[in-house]
Amino acid sequence: MTQTINATLAAVTDRIIARSAPTRAAYLAQIAGAREAGRNRSTLSCGNLAHGFAACGGDDKRALKDGGWANVGIVTAYNDMLSAHQPFGPYPAQIKKALNQVGAVGQVAGGVPAMCDGVTQGQPGMELSLFSRDVIAMSTAVALSHNMFDAALCLGVCDKIVPGMMIGALRFGQLPVIFVPAGPMRSGLPNPEKAKVRQLYAEGKLGRDALLEAESQSYHSPGTCTFYGTANSNQMLMEIMGLHIPGSAFVNPADPMRAAFTRAAAQRAVAITADTPDYVPMGKVIDEKALVNAIVGLHATGGSTNHTIHLIAIARAAGIVIDWRDFDALAAVTPLLCRVYPNGPADVNHFHAAGGLGFVIRELLDAGLLHDDVLTVMGRGLRRYASEALPDAGDGLTWKPVDGPSADLSIVRPVAEPFSADGGLKLLDGPLGRAVIKVSAVKEEYRTVEAQAVVFESQDSFLDRFRAGELDRDFIAVLRFQGPRANGMPELHKLTPALGALQDRGFKVALVTDGRMSGASGKVPAAIHLSPEAALGGPIARVRDGDLIRLDARTGELSIAADGFADRPLAAAPDMMAAGMGRELFSGFRQLAGPAEEGALSVPGLVTASLADSALIPA
């Protein structure tokens, strides 16, 4: 059956294809050349190969020596401090066993670092967070550079880990690659209750013991945090781009089906290698249509603002140029179908039980808001992901199409009855630059704020004035020198409870910043990722206390009323701590980092196209 595609979806896809034509062609030629140059181990010398299988057991060593079995590289982000990644500990052994069952070998190709933004929020280590994505990309490339592998499995879940692994793996786009999740922890203290305790602590009405108890009840066991931030948005993206086994995103770590998903991923990787008729190279899975599907999924589910940076970087690793105009155009036609915290009280476990991603993908496909004619690790067609996974009679999986209604209309709705007619993210533009705002968690009455600016250059200076009672009024907080070049673009999550408290007191407040907010940006309107950033001479460096700023999420306006604004001198960058907690090791990353709208990449030349080039393509 021929699918009827939404006209805007088709137009945005076509302009991305046109904009990216030279760089995409170069990328596809590169991965084709890598395949043709000699498949994996065939190019290795005897000494190379002997080193590669020296530590293998007898059967695996014989298989690699004889060359008859596929070898699957495992790239793992395991550590047991990060709750979302702790379950990965036994996965390599499980994967190797599953591979042996189908006549294949598995080797841990390498590990990548995995930071927990929850641990580093508001701490010096957060200044390494965004750049850790590029370190993870490089680490993934190092792991796969041994040229021992016919396919790869990436074990990763959280914020920068999945984007970094994708960027790295895409440079080996001739290989089939499947992402293997570990699932969310079971529901604990409801997220709205946790947020309320945080706000009361910020106001000085509760002590640290009460706050720690609430946090411990919320984050209480192995698995991903249950709110719909960047980590769980990653899992949505892996499904909607066809890099997961369908239905695997939100199954808890201890669920018996979790092991079945892991086995299925391992064995499917063998079934799609280059010497099979079902060959699925990752570089062909991630194309222009897959990226448009990803953006639509982000809007429809109210996903993380961080992906307005990460998806751009991922696209560039595949030779594709997207920008915020594409996000904005797709937001206008994508309905918001989900209410998952911070966009509502439910968590991802409730969302999964109510129908989850299978339901959302079915609804969007039926409405012509997703491309069905894409390549996935399961074969051609995204409709395979509009399904529910079930255990089969043995230890495997079977799937049935999602054909029923939502099990809870307060959590997930059909396209015919959305929570709102447009998506959860918007583009803001004006004399201060371009920024993005997450509106899915912001009530309608708070989406427009016009007030005087109060300028800050650190989170701590804001919190000091809040605690001193100096911010009990209408204002727009302008927090600058928080971009990639300035200090690595840390998330500014420490501001959320204080801003929320001021809003609850009846004040009209908002945030404008060249930094990032949490992937779970909340109820206060926040214009984030403002580009160009202050450290690169962006207009935000000209703002002064008392300037009248208007933020209108409905119209996309971000304006300033100030006499002689364009002629003002730029504020000098404050003295920033650039050493300690490893920050000095990342000075080169800060010097190379690109703008947020170009993915904030610290890897120059990953794609030769720039936004200046893409601006030649009509919006």
PDB file of all heavy atoms in Angstrom, residues 380-397:
ATOM      1  N   ARG A 380      13.396  -3.579   5.602  1.00  0.00           N
ATOM      2  CA  ARG A 380      12.808  -2.331   5.099  1.00  0.00           C
ATOM      3  C   ARG A 380      11.397  -2.152   5.641  1.00  0.00           C
ATOM      4  O   ARG A 380      10.601  -3.076   5.649  1.00  0.00           O
ATOM      5  CB  ARG A 380      12.781  -2.308   3.562  1.00  0.00           C
ATOM      6  CG  ARG A 380      12.224  -0.997   2.995  1.00  0.00           C
ATOM      7  CD  ARG A 380      12.743  -0.709   1.610  1.00  0.00           C
ATOM      8  NE  ARG A 380      14.171  -0.447   1.573  1.00  0.00           N
ATOM      9  CZ  ARG A 380      14.723   0.736   1.875  1.00  0.00           C
ATOM     10  NH1 ARG A 380      13.965   1.753   2.253  1.00  0.00           N
ATOM     11  NH2 ARG A 380      16.034   0.893   1.808  1.00  0.00           N
ATOM     12  N   GLY A 381      11.117  -0.931   6.105  1.00  0.00           N
ATOM     13  CA  GLY A 381       9.781  -0.579   6.565  1.00  0.00           C
ATOM     14  C   GLY A 381       9.719  -0.309   8.059  1.00  0.00           C
ATOM     15  O   GLY A 381      10.028  -1.180   8.871  1.00  0.00           O
ATOM     16  N   LEU A 382       9.320   0.907   8.422  1.00  0.00           N
ATOM     17  CA  LEU A 382       9.207   1.276   9.835  1.00  0.00           C
ATOM     18  C   LEU A 382       7.967   0.657  10.480  1.00  0.00           C
ATOM     19  O   LEU A 382       7.875   0.581  11.710  1.00  0.00           O
ATOM     20  CB  LEU A 382       9.159   2.807   9.966  1.00  0.00           C
ATOM     21  CG  LEU A 382       9.234   3.376  11.380  1.00  0.00           C
ATOM     22  CD1 LEU A 382      10.542   2.992  12.063  1.00  0.00           C
ATOM     23  CD2 LEU A 382       9.060   4.883  11.369  1.00  0.00           C
ATOM     24  N   ARG A 383       7.037   0.179   9.683  1.00  0.00           N
ATOM     25  CA  ARG A 383       5.807  -0.413  10.223  1.00  0.00           C
ATOM     26  C   ARG A 383       6.129  -1.590  11.167  1.00  0.00           C
ATOM     27  O   ARG A 383       5.349  -1.890  12.065  1.00  0.00           O
ATOM     28  CB  ARG A 383       4.927  -0.878   9.071  1.00  0.00           C
ATOM     29  CG  ARG A 383       3.596  -1.462   9.467  1.00  0.00           C
ATOM     30  CD  ARG A 383       2.617  -0.445  10.025  1.00  0.00           C
ATOM     31  NE  ARG A 383       2.250   0.602   9.091  1.00  0.00           N
ATOM     32  CZ  ARG A 383       1.323   1.521   9.351  1.00  0.00           C
ATOM     33  NH1 ARG A 383       0.663   1.509  10.510  1.00  0.00           N
ATOM     34  NH2 ARG A 383       1.046   2.463   8.469  1.00  0.00           N
ATOM     35  N   ARG A 384       7.269  -2.196  10.994  1.00  0.00           N
ATOM     36  CA  ARG A 384       7.679  -3.278  11.890  1.00  0.00           C
ATOM     37  C   ARG A 384       7.767  -2.816  13.342  1.00  0.00           C
ATOM     38  O   ARG A 384       7.703  -3.627  14.261  1.00  0.00           O
ATOM     39  CB  ARG A 384       9.043  -3.817  11.461  1.00  0.00           C
ATOM     40  CG  ARG A 384       9.099  -4.405  10.062  1.00  0.00           C
ATOM     41  CD  ARG A 384      10.555  -4.612   9.630  1.00  0.00           C
ATOM     42  NE  ARG A 384      10.654  -5.033   8.236  1.00  0.00           N
ATOM     43  CZ  ARG A 384      10.723  -6.287   7.834  1.00  0.00           C
ATOM     44  NH1 ARG A 384      10.680  -7.250   8.734  1.00  0.00           N
ATOM     45  NH2 ARG A 384      10.833  -6.589   6.555  1.00  0.00           N
ATOM     46  N   TYR A 385       7.971  -1.506  13.530  1.00  0.00           N
ATOM     47  CA  TYR A 385       8.124  -0.955  14.882  1.00  0.00           C
ATOM     48  C   TYR A 385       6.793  -0.495  15.473  1.00  0.00           C
ATOM     49  O   TYR A 385       6.748  -0.104  16.648  1.00  0.00           O
ATOM     50  CB  TYR A 385       9.140   0.190  14.875  1.00  0.00           C
ATOM     51  CG  TYR A 385      10.555  -0.323  14.689  1.00  0.00           C
ATOM     52  CD1 TYR A 385      11.025  -0.720  13.442  1.00  0.00           C
ATOM     53  CD2 TYR A 385      11.409  -0.441  15.776  1.00  0.00           C
ATOM     54  CE1 TYR A 385      12.306  -1.212  13.273  1.00  0.00           C
ATOM     55  CE2 TYR A 385      12.699  -0.930  15.628  1.00  0.00           C
ATOM     56  CZ  TYR A 385      13.141  -1.321  14.376  1.00  0.00           C
ATOM     57  OH  TYR A 385      14.412  -1.820  14.219  1.00  0.00           O
ATOM     58  N   ALA A 386       5.732  -0.540  14.707  1.00  0.00           N
ATOM     59  CA  ALA A 386       4.384  -0.263  15.223  1.00  0.00           C
ATOM     60  C   ALA A 386       3.812  -1.569  15.748  1.00  0.00           C
ATOM     61  O   ALA A 386       2.776  -2.060  15.310  1.00  0.00           O
ATOM     62  CB  ALA A 386       3.500   0.327  14.125  1.00  0.00           C
ATOM     63  N   SER A 387       4.538  -2.145  16.694  1.00  0.00           N
ATOM     64  CA  SER A 387       4.204  -3.492  17.144  1.00  0.00           C
ATOM     65  C   SER A 387       4.485  -3.634  18.630  1.00  0.00           C
ATOM     66  O   SER A 387       5.151  -2.797  19.243  1.00  0.00           O
ATOM     67  CB  SER A 387       5.022  -4.523  16.361  1.00  0.00           C
ATOM     68  OG  SER A 387       6.406  -4.323  16.576  1.00  0.00           O
ATOM     69  N   GLU A 388       3.963  -4.706  19.185  1.00  0.00           N
ATOM     70  CA  GLU A 388       4.199  -5.052  20.586  1.00  0.00           C
ATOM     71  C   GLU A 388       4.978  -6.360  20.627  1.00  0.00           C
ATOM     72  O   GLU A 388       4.606  -7.332  19.974  1.00  0.00           O
ATOM     73  CB  GLU A 388       2.870  -5.214  21.325  1.00  0.00           C
ATOM     74  CG  GLU A 388       3.020  -5.621  22.783  1.00  0.00           C
ATOM     75  CD  GLU A 388       1.689  -5.877  23.466  1.00  0.00           C
ATOM     76  OE1 GLU A 388       0.635  -5.770  22.793  1.00  0.00           O
ATOM     77  OE2 GLU A 388       1.707  -6.188  24.679  1.00  0.00           O
ATOM     78  N   ALA A 389       6.058  -6.375  21.391  1.00  0.00           N
ATOM     79  CA  ALA A 389       6.869  -7.581  21.532  1.00  0.00           C
ATOM     80  C   ALA A 389       6.297  -8.470  22.626  1.00  0.00           C
ATOM     81  O   ALA A 389       5.900  -7.989  23.692  1.00  0.00           O
ATOM     82  CB  ALA A 389       8.307  -7.217  21.856  1.00  0.00           C
ATOM     83  N   LEU A 390       6.278  -9.764  22.361  1.00  0.00           N
ATOM     84  CA  LEU A 390       5.758 -10.746  23.320  1.00  0.00           C
ATOM     85  C   LEU A 390       6.715 -11.931  23.379  1.00  0.00           C
ATOM     86  O   LEU A 390       7.407 -12.233  22.401  1.00  0.00           O
ATOM     87  CB  LEU A 390       4.380 -11.237  22.875  1.00  0.00           C
ATOM     88  CG  LEU A 390       3.272 -10.184  22.754  1.00  0.00           C
ATOM     89  CD1 LEU A 390       2.080 -10.767  22.016  1.00  0.00           C
ATOM     90  CD2 LEU A 390       2.869  -9.665  24.120  1.00  0.00           C
ATOM     91  N   PRO A 391       6.783 -12.630  24.511  1.00  0.00           N
ATOM     92  CA  PRO A 391       7.604 -13.840  24.567  1.00  0.00           C
ATOM     93  C   PRO A 391       6.978 -14.938  23.699  1.00  0.00           C
ATOM     94  O   PRO A 391       5.764 -15.079  23.641  1.00  0.00           O
ATOM     95  CB  PRO A 391       7.590 -14.216  26.047  1.00  0.00           C
ATOM     96  CG  PRO A 391       6.376 -13.552  26.616  1.00  0.00           C
ATOM     97  CD  PRO A 391       6.144 -12.318  25.803  1.00  0.00           C
ATOM     98  N   ASP A 392       7.836 -15.708  23.029  1.00  0.00           N
ATOM     99  CA  ASP A 392       7.298 -16.812  22.246  1.00  0.00           C
ATOM    100  C   ASP A 392       7.277 -18.084  23.091  1.00  0.00           C
ATOM    101  O   ASP A 392       7.493 -18.052  24.305  1.00  0.00           O
ATOM    102  CB  ASP A 392       8.085 -16.996  20.943  1.00  0.00           C
ATOM    103  CG  ASP A 392       9.520 -17.441  21.174  1.00  0.00           C
ATOM    104  OD1 ASP A 392       9.856 -17.837  22.315  1.00  0.00           O
ATOM    105  OD2 ASP A 392      10.313 -17.410  20.209  1.00  0.00           O
ATOM    106  N   ALA A 393       7.035 -19.225  22.480  1.00  0.00           N
ATOM    107  CA  ALA A 393       6.903 -20.466  23.235  1.00  0.00           C
ATOM    108  C   ALA A 393       8.226 -20.935  23.819  1.00  0.00           C
ATOM    109  O   ALA A 393       8.247 -21.732  24.761  1.00  0.00           O
ATOM    110  CB  ALA A 393       6.316 -21.560  22.337  1.00  0.00           C
ATOM    111  N   GLY A 394       9.355 -20.432  23.269  1.00  0.00           N
ATOM    112  CA  GLY A 394      10.655 -20.810  23.795  1.00  0.00           C
ATOM    113  C   GLY A 394      11.246 -19.687  24.631  1.00  0.00           C
ATOM    114  O   GLY A 394      10.615 -19.179  25.550  1.00  0.00           O
ATOM    115  N   ASP A 395      12.484 -19.285  24.273  1.00  0.00           N
ATOM    116  CA  ASP A 395      13.114 -18.181  24.994  1.00  0.00           C
ATOM    117  C   ASP A 395      13.306 -16.971  24.092  1.00  0.00           C
ATOM    118  O   ASP A 395      14.133 -16.097  24.361  1.00  0.00           O
ATOM    119  CB  ASP A 395      14.453 -18.609  25.593  1.00  0.00           C
ATOM    120  CG  ASP A 395      15.461 -19.052  24.536  1.00  0.00           C
ATOM    121  OD1 ASP A 395      15.101 -19.045  23.335  1.00  0.00           O
ATOM    122  OD2 ASP A 395      16.596 -19.394  24.909  1.00  0.00           O
ATOM    123  N   GLY A 396      12.532 -16.928  23.011  1.00  0.00           N
ATOM    124  CA  GLY A 396      12.651 -15.843  22.049  1.00  0.00           C
ATOM    125  C   GLY A 396      11.495 -14.860  22.126  1.00  0.00           C
ATOM    126  O   GLY A 396      10.783 -14.763  23.135  1.00  0.00           O
ATOM    127  N   LEU A 397      11.304 -14.141  21.028  1.00  0.00           N
ATOM    128  CA  LEU A 397      10.303 -13.080  20.961  1.00  0.00           C
ATOM    129  C   LEU A 397       9.431 -13.261  19.728  1.00  0.00           C
ATOM    130  O   LEU A 397       9.849 -13.835  18.723  1.00  0.00           O
ATOM    131  CB  LEU A 397      10.986 -11.704  20.870  1.00  0.00           C
ATOM    132  CG  LEU A 397      11.853 -11.272  22.044  1.00  0.00           C
ATOM    133  CD1 LEU A 397      12.662 -10.037  21.662  1.00  0.00           C
ATOM    134  CD2 LEU A 397      10.994 -10.971  23.270  1.00  0.00           C
TER     135      LEU A 397
END
